[in-house]
Coordinates of all heavy atoms in Angstrom, one line a residue:
V1 N 13.7 -4.9 121.3 CA 13.4 -3.8 120.3 C 14.6 -3.2 119.8 O 14.8 -2.9 118.6 CB 12.4 -2.8 120.9 CG1 12.3 -1.6 120.0 CG2 11.1 -3.4 121.2
D2 N 15.6 -2.9 120.7 CA 16.8 -2.2 120.2 C 17.6 -3.1 119.2 O 18.3 -2.6 118.4 CB 17.7 -1.9 121.4 CG 17.1 -0.6 122.2 OD1 16.2 0.0 121.6 OD2 17.6 -0.3 123.3
E3 N 17.5 -4.4 119.3 CA 18.1 -5.3 118.4 C 17.5 -5.1 117.0 O 18.1 -5.5 116.0 CB 18.0 -6.7 118.8 CG 18.9 -7.0 120.1 CD 18.7 -8.4 120.6 OE1 18.0 -9.3 119.9 OE2 19.2 -8.7 121.7
L4 N 16.3 -4.6 116.9 CA 15.6 -4.5 115.6 C 15.8 -3.1 115.0 O 15.4 -2.9 113.8 CB 14.1 -4.7 115.8 CG 13.7 -6.1 116.3 CD1 12.2 -6.1 116.7 CD2 14.0 -7.1 115.2
L5 N 16.5 -2.2 115.7 CA 16.7 -0.8 115.1 C 17.4 -0.8 113.8 O 17.2 0.1 113.0 CB 17.4 0.1 116.2 CG 16.6 0.4 117.4 CD1 17.4 1.2 118.4 CD2 15.3 1.1 117.1
S6 N 18.3 -1.7 113.6 CA 19.1 -1.7 112.3 C 18.4 -2.5 111.2 O 18.9 -2.6 110.1 CB 20.5 -2.2 112.6 OG 20.4 -3.6 113.0
E7 N 17.2 -3.1 111.5 CA 16.5 -3.9 110.5 C 15.9 -3.0 109.5 O 15.1 -2.1 109.7 CB 15.4 -4.7 111.2 CG 14.5 -5.5 110.3 CD 15.3 -6.6 109.6 OE1 16.1 -7.3 110.3 OE2 15.2 -6.7 108.4
R8 N 16.5 -3.1 108.3 CA 16.1 -2.3 107.1 C 14.6 -2.2 106.9 O 14.0 -1.2 106.6 CB 16.9 -2.7 105.9 CG 17.4 -1.5 105.2 CD 18.2 -1.9 104.0 NE 17.3 -2.1 102.9 CZ 17.4 -2.8 101.8 NH1 18.6 -3.5 101.7 NH2 16.5 -2.9 100.9
S9 N 14.0 -3.4 106.9 CA 12.5 -3.5 106.6 C 11.7 -2.7 107.6 O 10.5 -2.5 107.3 CB 12.1 -4.9 106.5 OG 12.2 -5.6 107.7
L10 N 12.2 -2.4 108.8 CA 11.4 -1.7 109.8 C 11.7 -0.2 109.9 O 11.1 0.5 110.7 CB 11.6 -2.3 111.2 CG 11.2 -3.7 111.4 CD1 11.5 -4.2 112.8 CD2 9.7 -3.9 111.1
Q11 N 12.6 0.3 109.0 CA 13.0 1.7 109.1 C 11.9 2.7 108.9 O 11.9 3.7 109.6 CB 14.1 2.0 108.0 CG 15.4 1.3 108.3 CD 16.0 1.5 109.7 OE1 16.2 2.7 110.0 NE2 16.2 0.5 110.4
G12 N 10.9 2.4 108.1 CA 9.8 3.3 107.9 C 8.5 2.9 108.6 O 7.5 3.4 108.4
Y13 N 8.6 1.9 109.5 CA 7.5 1.3 110.2 C 7.2 2.0 111.5 O 8.0 1.9 112.4 CB 7.8 -0.2 110.4 CG 6.6 -1.0 110.9 CD1 5.4 -1.0 110.3 CD2 6.7 -1.8 112.0 CE1 4.3 -1.8 110.7 CE2 5.7 -2.6 112.5 CZ 4.5 -2.6 111.8 OH 3.4 -3.3 112.3
H14 N 6.1 2.7 111.6 CA 5.9 3.6 112.7 C 5.7 2.8 114.0 O 6.0 3.4 115.1 CB 4.6 4.4 112.4 CG 3.3 3.7 112.5 ND1 2.9 2.9 111.4 CD2 2.4 3.6 113.4 CE1 1.8 2.3 111.7 NE2 1.4 2.8 112.9
L15 N 5.4 1.6 114.0 CA 5.2 0.9 115.2 C 6.5 0.6 116.0 O 6.5 0.4 117.2 CB 4.4 -0.4 115.0 CG 2.9 -0.2 114.7 CD1 2.2 -1.5 114.5 CD2 2.2 0.7 115.7
L16 N 7.6 0.5 115.2 CA 8.9 0.3 115.9 C 9.2 1.5 116.9 O 9.4 1.2 118.1 CB 10.1 0.1 114.9 CG 11.5 -0.1 115.5 CD1 11.5 -1.3 116.3 CD2 12.5 -0.1 114.4
P17 N 9.2 2.7 116.5 CA 9.5 3.8 117.4 C 8.3 3.9 118.4 O 8.5 4.4 119.6 CB 9.7 5.0 116.6 CG 9.0 4.7 115.3 CD 9.2 3.2 115.1
S18 N 7.1 3.6 118.0 CA 6.0 3.7 118.9 C 6.2 2.7 120.1 O 6.0 3.1 121.3 CB 4.7 3.4 118.2 OG 3.6 3.4 119.1
V19 N 6.5 1.4 119.8 CA 6.7 0.4 120.8 C 7.9 0.9 121.7 O 7.9 0.8 122.9 CB 7.0 -1.0 120.2 CG1 7.5 -1.9 121.2 CG2 5.7 -1.5 119.6
R20 N 9.0 1.3 121.0 CA 10.2 1.7 121.8 C 9.8 2.9 122.7 O 10.2 2.9 123.9 CB 11.3 2.1 120.8 CG 12.6 2.3 121.5 CD 13.8 2.4 120.5 NE 15.0 2.3 121.2 CZ 15.6 3.3 121.7 NH1 15.1 4.5 121.6 NH2 16.8 3.2 122.4
G21 N 9.0 3.9 122.2 CA 8.6 5.0 123.1 C 7.8 4.5 124.3 O 8.0 5.0 125.4
D22 N 6.9 3.6 124.1 CA 6.1 3.0 125.2 C 7.0 2.4 126.2 O 6.8 2.6 127.4 CB 5.1 2.0 124.6 CG 4.2 1.6 125.7 OD1 3.4 2.4 126.3 OD2 4.1 0.3 126.0
L23 N 7.9 1.6 125.8 CA 8.8 0.9 126.8 C 9.7 1.9 127.5 O 9.9 1.8 128.7 CB 9.7 -0.2 126.0 CG 8.8 -1.3 125.4 CD1 9.7 -2.2 124.6 CD2 8.1 -2.1 126.5
L24 N 10.2 2.9 126.8 CA 11.0 3.9 127.4 C 10.2 4.7 128.4 O 10.7 5.0 129.5 CB 11.6 4.9 126.4 CG 12.7 4.3 125.5 CD1 13.0 5.2 124.3 CD2 14.0 4.1 126.3
A25 N 9.0 5.0 128.1 CA 8.1 5.8 129.0 C 7.9 4.9 130.3 O 7.9 5.4 131.4 CB 6.8 6.1 128.4
K26 N 7.7 3.6 130.1 CA 7.5 2.8 131.3 C 8.7 2.7 132.2 O 8.6 2.4 133.4 CB 7.1 1.4 130.8 CG 5.6 1.3 130.3 CD 5.3 0.0 129.8 CE 3.8 0.0 129.3 NZ 3.5 -1.2 128.6
L27 N 9.9 2.9 131.6 CA 11.1 2.9 132.3 C 11.4 4.3 132.9 O 12.5 4.5 133.5 CB 12.3 2.4 131.4 CG 12.2 0.9 131.0 CD1 13.2 0.6 129.9 CD2 12.5 0.1 132.3
G28 N 10.6 5.3 132.6 CA 10.8 6.6 133.1 C 11.8 7.4 132.3 O 12.2 8.5 132.7
R29 N 12.1 7.0 131.1 CA 13.1 7.7 130.3 C 12.3 8.5 129.3 O 12.2 8.3 128.1 CB 14.0 6.6 129.5 CG 14.9 5.9 130.5 CD 15.5 4.6 130.0 NE 16.3 4.9 128.8 CZ 16.9 3.9 128.1 NH1 16.9 2.7 128.5 NH2 17.6 4.2 127.0
L30 N 11.7 9.6 129.9 CA 10.6 10.3 129.2 C 11.1 11.1 128.0 O 10.4 11.3 127.0 CB 9.9 11.2 130.2 CG 9.2 10.4 131.3 CD1 8.5 11.4 132.2 CD2 8.1 9.5 130.7
E31 N 12.3 11.7 128.1 CA 12.8 12.5 126.9 C 13.0 11.6 125.7 O 12.7 12.0 124.6 CB 14.1 13.2 127.3 CG 13.9 14.6 127.9 CD 13.1 15.5 127.0 OE1 13.4 15.7 125.8 OE2 12.0 16.0 127.5
E32 N 13.6 10.4 126.0 CA 13.8 9.5 124.9 C 12.5 9.0 124.3 O 12.3 8.9 123.1 CB 14.7 8.3 125.4 CG 16.1 8.6 125.7 CD 16.8 7.5 126.4 OE1 16.6 7.4 127.6 OE2 17.4 6.6 125.7
A33 N 11.6 8.7 125.2 CA 10.2 8.3 124.8 C 9.5 9.4 124.0 O 9.0 9.1 122.9 CB 9.4 8.0 126.0
R34 N 9.7 10.6 124.4 CA 9.1 11.7 123.6 C 9.6 11.7 122.2 O 8.9 11.8 121.2 CB 9.3 13.1 124.3 CG 8.7 14.3 123.5 CD 9.2 15.6 124.1 NE 10.7 15.7 124.1 CZ 11.4 16.0 123.0 NH1 10.8 16.2 121.8 NH2 12.7 16.1 123.1
T35 N 10.9 11.6 122.0 CA 11.5 11.6 120.7 C 11.0 10.4 119.9 O 10.7 10.6 118.7 CB 13.1 11.5 120.9 OG1 13.5 12.6 121.6 CG2 13.8 11.4 119.5
E36 N 10.9 9.3 120.5 CA 10.4 8.1 119.7 C 8.9 8.3 119.3 O 8.5 7.9 118.2 CB 10.5 6.8 120.6 CG 12.0 6.4 120.8 CD 12.7 6.1 119.5 OE1 12.1 5.5 118.6 OE2 13.9 6.5 119.4
F37 N 8.1 8.8 120.2 CA 6.7 9.0 119.8 C 6.6 10.1 118.7 O 5.7 9.9 117.8 CB 5.9 9.5 121.0 CG 5.6 8.4 122.0 CD1 5.8 8.7 123.4 CD2 5.2 7.2 121.7 CE1 5.5 7.7 124.3 CE2 4.9 6.2 122.6 CZ 5.1 6.4 123.9
E38 N 7.4 11.1 118.7 CA 7.4 12.1 117.7 C 7.9 11.5 116.3 O 7.3 11.7 115.3 CB 8.3 13.3 118.0 CG 7.7 14.1 119.1 CD 8.6 15.2 119.6 OE1 9.8 15.2 119.3 OE2 8.1 16.1 120.4
R39 N 8.8 10.6 116.4 CA 9.3 9.9 115.2 C 8.2 9.0 114.7 O 8.0 9.0 113.5 CB 10.6 9.1 115.5 CG 11.2 8.5 114.3 CD 12.7 8.1 114.5 NE 12.8 7.0 115.3 CZ 12.9 5.7 114.8 NH1 13.0 5.5 113.5 NH2 13.1 4.7 115.6

């Protein structure tokens, strides 16, 4: 997912930060996950 962060076509696609937030939450990185879910 992190390799896709610079992909221009996904910049406004809500599922990119949503998926990233889910994976971060599963890793226990809750503050980062919160930011991604809000984005």
Side-chain angles (χ1 to χ4, degrees):
V1 169
D2 283 350
E3 291 175 9
L4 296 171
L5 291 176
S6 63
E7 179 61 48
R8 225 179 84 201
S9 65
L10 296 178
Q11 293 304 304
Y13 189 52
H14 72 284
L15 291 181
L16 179 63
S18 178
V19 167
R20 192 165 190 274
D22 185 62
L23 296 173
L24 288 165
K26 287 177 180 175
L27 291 168
R29 294 165 57 180
L30 299 177
E31 270 305 303
E32 292 170 273
R34 179 189 58 78
T35 299
E36 292 298 321
F37 288 133
E38 289 172 348
R39 187 163 73 95

